[in-house]
Amino acid sequence: MTTGNAANVGIVIVSHSPLVARGIADMVRQMVGDCVPLAWSGGNVRGELGTDAGGILRAIEAAWSDAGVAVFVDLGGAETNSEMAIEMLGAPRSALVAICNAPLVEGAVIAAAEASGGAALAKVVATAEELSP
């Protein structure tokens, strides 16, 4: 997990595969540098394929920004556990976290680019979600 500038919207990558999550996060970091808070969560608590709400919560906290956090997920279980992690975060911070309905790689890259320019959470999410079919 890595972090960046808390003035910009944070990005969290959630995948059932730790290798996929880390790889996408590395790609995003190479494209936008350190100006965007960025973290990832992949695999279950045993390091196997799956997701873990606690790990996702830690990723959200690592990428935390008062501007908000956009979460990108690969499959339904990742979305469900991300929703649980957001609930665990508690109010008022949970209101500043959005799960994006966007392709994982392309969505995360375009969202990070948008966030690096200082865009608000709603704009970051909307830009990423424009990529959805």
Side-chain angles (χ1 to χ4, degrees):
M1 290 188 210
T2 56
T3 58
N5 184 344
N8 291 329
V9 169
I11 304 292
V12 171
I13 311 297
V14 180
S15 174
H16 281 69
S17 166
L19 295 173
V20 169
R22 181 178 177 179
I24 295 169
D26 287 346
M27 182 178 180
V28 169
R29 179 61 67 220
Q30 289 176 37
M31 299 192 97
V32 300
D34 292 328
C35 63
V36 173
L38 174 67
W40 60 271
S41 177
N44 64 21
V45 295
R46 294 175 302 283
E48 302 164 338
L49 289 181
T51 58
D52 170 52
I56 297 167
L57 175 61
R58 288 187 294 279
I60 292 170
E61 290 173 336
W64 182 256
S65 168
D66 289 339
V69 175
V71 179
F72 292 84
V73 299
D74 62 356
L75 299 169
E79 183 171 1
T80 300
N81 278 331
S82 294
E83 289 168 351
M84 288 173 41
I86 293 167
E87 286 180 23
M88 291 164 48
L89 188 62
R93 293 195 310 160
S94 60
L96 295 174
V97 182
I99 298 173
C100 295
N101 180 20
L104 187 57
V105 176
E106 298 91 338
V109 168
I110 197 74
E114 193 73 32
S116 72
L121 179 61
K123 177 66 173 164
V124 169
V125 171
T127 299
E129 289 183 344
E130 286 176 9
L131 298 171
S132 291

